[in-house]
Amino acid sequence: MNARQIVIILTSVLLSATDVVGQEIHPFVKGGLTIGLFDGFAASKEDVGHMGFNFGGGVQIPLSKNNKTFLEPSLNLISKGNVYEPEKAGGRVIFDLFFVETQVDLVFRGRMGSHWVFVVGTGLYGAYGIGGKATSTNGVTWYRGIPVGESPSMYDDVVGANRWDVGWRFVTIGVDYHHFMFRLEYELGFLEQFNKTFYYNSSEKYLGRNASYSLNLGYRF
């Protein structure tokens, strides 16, 4: 099964969720800040992370009679990538990536009082890249074979980023207060971010995987 098929399956789960019979389904919206990284890059001293955003919506489907276990499929727009500060360059190299992403979480909710609910979950995601560029600041024009001063697309032959991204939503943790949702989320991709060989050096491959942290605020209807 390839990445495209996985994304289609996850999207189908989201679109069919409202057809579940006999369940009280709650739609929700969410959004917030996302910090992106290319997990697996060896040049950790250069890596400072990418500040982005995410927003979207989904549905909360009860899986148990006591309303403690839920399935939460959602569809989101999310900004990922990474930012580097090359040694002695005096500037930054910015890799921007924008994805349409389907997320499917299995969530447990436990009450902490009359109004507060503790939430923890995990799941899978599938995403397709819809845009992104490699740019730079303060005169950095080349970075490991990429002419970032020209702002090439992340998906052209020069940069060679992978449009498909599939991975594990390692943890979703947070609290709910009445209808408001507060979430901290961490995702890690299964696929190499780049399919170009210029990220090789003599000892390691610099192909990386997408990783991201999101701090979100949501509202459940």
Side-chain angles (χ1 to χ4, degrees):
M1 182 178 294
N2 59 34
R4 182 172 182 175
Q5 290 171 323
I6 295 174
V7 172
I8 291 173
I9 291 172
L10 293 177
T11 304
S12 299
V13 171
L14 172 60
L15 295 177
S16 63
T18 55
D19 294 330
V20 177
V21 179
Q23 299 284 4
E24 186 180 0
I25 296 174
H26 297 280
F28 64 86
V29 293
K30 67 174 182 175
L33 298 176
T34 297
I35 299 176
L37 299 164
F38 290 159
D39 179 79
F41 267 60
S44 59
K45 291 183 179 179
E46 297 181 355
D47 191 332
V48 296
H50 176 279
M51 184 67 73
F53 66 91
N54 74 94
F55 67 89
V59 289
Q60 192 177 77
I61 308 169
L63 298 179
S64 59
K65 293 181 179 180
N66 59 10
N67 283 337
K68 289 186 176 181
T69 307
F70 292 80
L71 189 68
E72 288 188 358
S74 63
L75 188 63
N76 305 272
L77 178 65
I78 186 168
S79 170
K80 299 183 181 180
N82 209 348
V83 177
Y84 301 97
E85 293 181 346
E87 294 182 7
K88 301 179 181 179
R92 287 187 168 192
V93 178
I94 304 160
F95 287 173
D96 287 308
L97 290 164
F98 297 94
F99 291 96
V100 173
E101 182 170 295
T102 301
Q103 303 169 353
V104 181
D105 286 348
L106 181 64
V107 176
F108 174 81
R109 303 174 79 242
R111 286 207 166 271
M112 299 190 301
S114 57
H115 301 299
W116 290 92
V117 176
F118 175 75
V119 179
V120 63
T122 189
L124 298 172
Y125 75 88
Y128 180 77
I130 58 173
K133 291 185 177 182
T135 57
S136 62
T137 64
N138 297 333
V140 181
T141 57
W142 288 84
Y143 183 74
R144 294 181 182 163
I146 299 175
V148 292
E150 302 173 9
S151 299
S153 168
M154 289 292 293
Y155 304 111
D156 66 13
D157 291 336
V158 176
V159 183
N162 189 355
R163 281 190 182 271
W164 294 102
D165 186 25
V166 176
W168 180 18
R169 287 176 57 75
F170 190 86
V171 65
T172 296
I173 189 169
V175 293
D176 292 353
Y177 179 75
H178 290 291
H179 293 278
F180 291 96
M181 307 160 59
F182 305 89
R183 297 286 189 273
L184 176 62
E185 306 172 1
Y186 173 66
E187 298 181 349
L188 179 61
F190 296 147
L191 306 179
E192 292 177 335
Q193 179 57 65
F194 297 95
N195 36 30
K196 295 287 287 186
T197 57
F198 55 66
Y199 276 97
Y200 285 40
N201 68 11
S202 59
S203 60
E204 301 183 54
K205 295 180 180 180
Y206 293 89
L207 297 180
R209 295 176 295 167
N210 261 319
S212 66
Y213 299 86
S214 294
L215 181 62
N216 290 334
L217 173 65
Y219 187 85
R220 186 179 72 134
F221 298 93

